[in-house]
Every structure is written in structure tokens, then in C-alpha cells.
Amino acid sequence: MKRKTNRFGIFYLSFFFVLLYLPILSVVLYSFNAGSSTAKWTGLTLDWYRQLFNDRVIGEAFTISIQVAVLTAFLSALLGTAAATISLTVTRKMKKVIQGLMLLPLLVPEVALGVSLLLFFNGLKLPFGHLTLVLSHSLFCVPYVYIMVLLRLQEIDASIIESARDLGATKWQAFQTIILPLIMPAIVTSSLLAIALSLDDVVISTYMSGPASTTLPVHIFSMMRVGVTPKVNALCTLILVGTFFIIGLNQLIGKSSKTGGYLIEKK
Amino acid sequence: MKRNNVIIVGIVLIAVLALIIFNPNKKDSGKTINLMTWGGDFIPREIIDNFTKETGIKINYKEVISNEDMQSLLEANPDQYDLAVVTDYMVDILRQNGLLEKLNKTKLSNIGNINSVYQGNYYDKKDEYSIPYAISTSFLLVNPEAIADLGAEPITSYKDMWQPELKNNIVLIDWSVEIIGLVLKSLGYEYNETDPVKVGEARERLFALKDNIVRFETNTPEDSLVNGEAVIGFMYSNQAVKGQAANSKLQPVFPQEGYPIYIDSWVMSKEAPNKEAAYAFLNYIMEPEVAAKIGEITNFTSPNKAAGPYLSEEFRNNPMLNMPDEVAANTSFYIGVENVLEEYEHIYSEFKLK
């Protein structure tokens, strides 16, 4: 009986993954197609990759996207970790309020967020560009960092911190030497997530970028009017490879975090 | 030690952040134009680079996804952008909202090159606010051989799409206003009809087409004809161009009843920070050689009639790329979409669920 369900489970899982990854695989395949139409396979070529690397505009948009993503990840890691640490020290009621306010940006529709940020930054007379992009992306990335770091913080045994304080560590020393290393994996993981979210954003970026700072996803979507070339397939393939690399990295970090947790419980 | 490293890395990152943030392009000294429109090569970089080389004026090209995005950005920051290219109906909206500069024709010596067929339209009757840039349309791309093989009559009008022999052989772009517009035209009515009797008639007629449709596809409808899934496709001109390039048997049919036209036009913001340079650029792109090059790169019909001699023979003789005036005469705009959208969307979703 148990065997049967197991077999069905395997069948279901493989079906699920095939459905999930086959379309993505076709993008990879067609990035090597000689013809410009996705309707016919006309031969193997690396032409689209060559064109991609010679495309100045894609290069510039990519650079801007990466800069914004990294800065966003850093800023949201900083703000999210601070918020999570603070929310542990406040009253339960206050913690609920912080939590609610943290999750709000995720519930507001992106277009509404984009337009209100546009009006807000406009009122502040901030120059649109990297600054506004990083600030607005952080707005929807901070909640993820907050949630992941808070979950990790709640796992930490309070007695460790207490003993550190007993032995004469200042609050900052206790945070720096005990809490920070323990939550580091969560911070890194959520930062990687923030990078992915920032690289992915189209709607808010459209409103937040200045006259000279188009990001990569906006560039790709804005090509629709003229028509998208297989160059974009090549680009997607490269992004895919990059994503797998980041996910792999993340898995490695996740593994080491587990052993870290184990050691503490053992003690 | 390790923790100190973390802090050092943090400080370095903050420094980088500050450096990047406080280094915006604040050099708005009369040598930069900010323009926004669709991206890719909608305004070819080659043209922009040549202009910068000739005049020393730098151009910032902000890429956006839709007319509505441009409207929001222009309304929020009218003094940040000099120029935009928007579609006909958006010229109307921006003009009525008072966002557009009345163009000073004395600064545009090349304005006479623009084909009058594309001027004097409803959105700008006196041509005071806009200059046509790229003309496109949608029509039928057909595979005449395959249609004959199915035993159907040759296609010359929308009406021919209802032949029962064409079952499961038509691909359509997926937008309610376009498809109901097509049906209205086949009945001899105009686009965006509001008369409930005529709309009801169109609804019945639309439902009768359902069996013949094999696919709704907005991004690559031409692929269905190339791979033989369909024999007729209603699509945008640049898609039809691609389809024919992949399979030379495919032919355009401009239906007798008429077809839509989209005129993407230059407009200048009323509060443009650098009007002089913007005029220089507008005048530059209306030069015949430049206009011809733009047409060939973007695959849109050029509204510049002086560009004709500079077009390659292949481009000039292709009615999909270089729409002849008599073909352009049978086009009409989608006017007042906001009045019919809700009703049409309702009918359309009912139709798709059938």
C-alpha cells in the first residue's frame, strides 16, 4: 500500500517538474536557433550570444540592474535585520504593530506603490535614478529580510545571550559576537532573495528610474513595440545560469547554517 | 577578526552606495535631451549617436512599456522630459490635459517632408502638437496555397474568414477592441460602435467565428502561420513582416472593409527643460536620409514622403513596410476606447469561454 502511493508521488513530482521546467528549457534551446522565428528550428548558432555581448544598451541596463540589486540587498539586509532585532526587545503589542507595518508594502498593488512613490519622491525633489530605485526596491525587499531574520532569531536560546551578558559583554558585544553570527545565514539568504526580487521588478522600476537609468527587465518589456529578437532568449539563458549559481550558493550556505544550529542545541 | 571584516565590507558598501547616489546626471546645461518612449530600437541608437556626434547634444533615452506609463511620468514630472513618442489617442489625452507644447514650425524646416496623409487627424487637427514618427497597421496575413487546399475561396475581406472550410485555421491577436472592431468592420460598421443593436449584431457574428479560430496570440501570431497551424492571421504589420520573412508564401491581405492605423507621434512637454535642443533633434530625424534609415531599422512605415528615394528597393516595394497612400486611405483609428471597453471586454470574455 505504502509502495503504491510512493510510486504515484514520484510520478506526480516528475510530471510537475517537467511541466515547470520544459518551457524554460525551450528558451535555452531557441537561444541557439539560427532563424529569428521561434516557429522553426533552422540550425545551430551562437550568433545571438555574439549580438548580445555587442549590445551596448543591454550592457548598460544590466549594469544598472546589478548595481541597484546589490545596493538594495545591502540596504534591506541592514534595515530588515535591525527591525527584526528590535522587535524582539519590545513588548508583544508593539511587535505586532511592527510586523503589520512591515508586511503592508507586500499587500499594496505595485502600480499604486509605484505611482505614490513617484509623487512622494517628486515632492522631496529627489533626483530620479539609482537613489530612488534602491529606496523603492528596498521597500518591498525589507519585509522578506525581516521575516527570515526574525524566524532565525526566535530559534536562538535566550540563555546564551544572558550568559554572555553575565560574563560582562556589552549589549553590542553580545549582538556582534553571538547573535550576528547565528543569524548571518538568514541575512545572506534573504539578501540573495532581495537581489532576485530587485532584478525582477518591472512596474516600480518604470516609475522610479530616471531619464538615463533604464533597468534590464524594463528594457526587455519595452522592446515589445518593435519586436523581441532571440537575443532575449540568449539573455534569459545567461540569467538562468546565473540564477542556478545563486541558488546553489544559497543551498551551500543553508547547509552550513544547519550544522551551526545543531552545535548550539548539542551544547 | 571575522566580524571586523564584516563591518569593513559594510562601510565600503555604504561608501559605494553614497558615491553612486550622489553622482546623478545633473548636467542639464542645454546639451542634454531627455526623451522617453518604447525601447529596443524604436528610436535607433545609431541615429541618436550620429545626432550627438553632429551637434554635441547628448540624449538620454528612457524606455517605457506603455502609453499610460508615459502619461503618468509626464504628469508627475513635466519638467524632466523634453520629448516623447506616444500613440495617436495618447496625443489627444496629453493635449487635453495641457501637457504639450505647441510646436514652433519655424524651428522645424523639415516639417514639409511629412506626408499629409498622416496629418490633420482627430487628435491634433491642426498639427500643432505632434509630428508623426512611425506608422503601423494590422491586417490579415494569409497562406493562399493552404487556403486553396482546404477548398476555401481566396481571402479579400474579413467576411471571407467565416467560411466553414477554415475550421480551426485562424489565429487572432488577443484584444477585445481589435477583434470586435474586425467583426464590426465585416458588418460594414465603424470601430468602437456604441449602438446596442449594432453591438448585439456584432456579438452574434463574433460567436459564429469561434469554430474557425485555432489560437489567440498577441506576441507571435505569425509563428502559427509559419509552422502551418493556421492559414489566416489577423496581426500587426511588423509581425506580418516577420512572418513573410520566415515563409515567402505568406501574403498580406488588406481587407476591403478597412483596417486600423496607429500613428506614433513625437510630442514635446510644455515644461521641457531644453526646447532648443529638442527642436534640433526633431528637425534632424525628419531629414529624408535619417527618416529612411529609421524606417528600415524599425520596420515601421515612415511618414516622411521625402524618404522614399533613400529606401532600399525591397523596403519601398513592400506594402507592409512602406504603406502606399491608397492603402493608408482605407484605415481608421480606434477612437473613444474608454467608452466601449467594458462592454467589449464583457462580450469578448463570454466569447472566449464558449
XYZ file of all heavy atoms in Angstrom, chain A residues 211, chain B residues 31-35 47-49 51-52 57-61 281:
145
model
N 15.739 59.596 -16.271
C 15.807 59.651 -17.734
C 16.941 58.801 -18.298
O 16.905 58.437 -19.456
C 16.077 61.126 -18.026
C 15.757 61.862 -16.781
C 15.877 60.913 -15.642
N 22.831 70.856 -23.106
C 23.488 69.924 -24.019
C 22.918 68.522 -23.871
O 23.511 67.555 -24.307
C 24.998 69.916 -23.751
C 25.723 71.110 -24.362
C 25.669 71.045 -25.883
C 26.442 72.204 -26.516
N 26.143 72.301 -27.967
N 21.786 68.402 -23.190
C 21.188 67.080 -22.988
C 19.691 67.137 -23.265
O 19.020 68.065 -22.831
C 21.399 66.612 -21.534
O 22.751 66.814 -21.194
C 21.053 65.147 -21.375
N 19.190 66.125 -23.973
C 17.744 65.995 -24.148
C 17.318 64.718 -23.436
O 17.975 63.689 -23.566
C 17.337 65.832 -25.625
C 18.023 66.855 -26.512
C 15.828 65.916 -25.783
C 17.720 66.637 -27.976
N 16.221 64.793 -22.711
C 15.631 63.588 -22.136
C 14.422 63.202 -22.970
O 13.463 63.975 -23.063
C 15.191 63.841 -20.695
C 16.380 64.073 -19.794
O 17.491 63.647 -20.096
N 16.152 64.753 -18.689
N 14.470 62.018 -23.542
C 13.281 61.593 -24.277
C 12.821 60.259 -23.735
O 13.602 59.502 -23.151
C 13.538 61.540 -25.782
C 14.476 60.519 -26.396
C 13.798 59.187 -26.589
C 14.929 61.032 -27.749
N 20.998 56.327 -34.900
C 20.532 57.678 -35.237
C 20.891 58.643 -34.102
O 21.393 59.745 -34.335
C 18.997 57.672 -35.438
C 18.590 56.658 -36.507
C 18.473 59.062 -35.732
C 19.000 57.008 -37.897
N 20.637 58.197 -32.878
C 20.922 59.046 -31.722
C 22.414 59.359 -31.650
O 22.823 60.505 -31.457
C 20.444 58.349 -30.425
C 18.915 58.299 -30.418
C 20.968 59.067 -29.189
C 18.320 57.609 -29.218
N 23.250 58.321 -31.853
C 24.696 58.524 -31.789
C 25.170 59.500 -32.861
O 25.998 60.374 -32.603
C 25.433 57.180 -31.950
C 25.221 56.289 -30.736
O 24.732 56.804 -29.711
O 25.528 55.085 -30.816
N 23.441 61.837 -34.226
C 22.980 63.189 -33.864
C 23.926 63.803 -32.832
O 24.326 64.964 -32.951
C 21.557 63.115 -33.314
C 21.037 64.424 -32.796
C 20.653 65.434 -33.675
C 20.922 64.656 -31.433
C 20.176 66.642 -33.197
C 20.449 65.860 -30.946
C 20.069 66.862 -31.836
N 24.302 63.001 -31.847
C 25.208 63.504 -30.807
C 26.557 63.882 -31.412
O 27.153 64.898 -31.059
C 25.396 62.437 -29.715
O 24.105 62.074 -29.228
C 26.232 62.959 -28.569
N 24.941 67.366 -28.782
C 23.841 67.271 -27.820
C 23.673 65.811 -27.396
O 23.512 64.930 -28.235
C 22.520 67.802 -28.428
C 22.689 69.265 -28.829
C 21.374 67.628 -27.440
C 21.536 69.812 -29.637
N 23.715 65.582 -26.087
C 23.584 64.223 -25.573
C 22.105 63.875 -25.411
O 21.300 64.755 -25.080
C 24.309 64.135 -24.225
C 24.473 62.724 -23.717
C 25.255 62.690 -22.401
C 25.163 61.324 -21.776
N 24.096 61.151 -20.821
N 21.765 62.618 -25.635
C 20.362 62.216 -25.490
C 20.232 61.101 -24.460
O 20.898 60.073 -24.552
C 19.788 61.749 -26.842
C 19.770 62.929 -27.805
C 18.382 61.176 -26.660
C 19.098 62.653 -29.111
N 19.395 61.320 -23.468
C 19.024 60.261 -22.525
C 17.741 59.619 -23.014
O 16.750 60.305 -23.239
C 18.797 60.829 -21.125
C 20.098 61.247 -20.474
O 21.131 60.638 -20.695
N 20.047 62.302 -19.684
N 17.766 58.310 -23.171
C 16.618 57.596 -23.738
C 16.003 56.755 -22.624
O 16.549 55.742 -22.223
C 17.148 56.715 -24.870
C 16.133 55.948 -25.695
C 16.527 55.389 -26.903
C 14.813 55.780 -25.302
C 15.654 54.672 -27.695
C 13.932 55.074 -26.086
C 14.363 54.516 -27.284
O 13.480 53.795 -28.062
N 16.672 68.128 -32.569
C 16.560 66.680 -32.773
C 15.366 66.340 -33.658
O 15.470 65.522 -34.577
C 16.451 65.958 -31.428
C 16.384 64.466 -31.555
C 17.482 63.760 -32.028
C 15.237 63.764 -31.221
C 17.440 62.376 -32.165
C 15.178 62.389 -31.355
C 16.285 61.697 -31.828
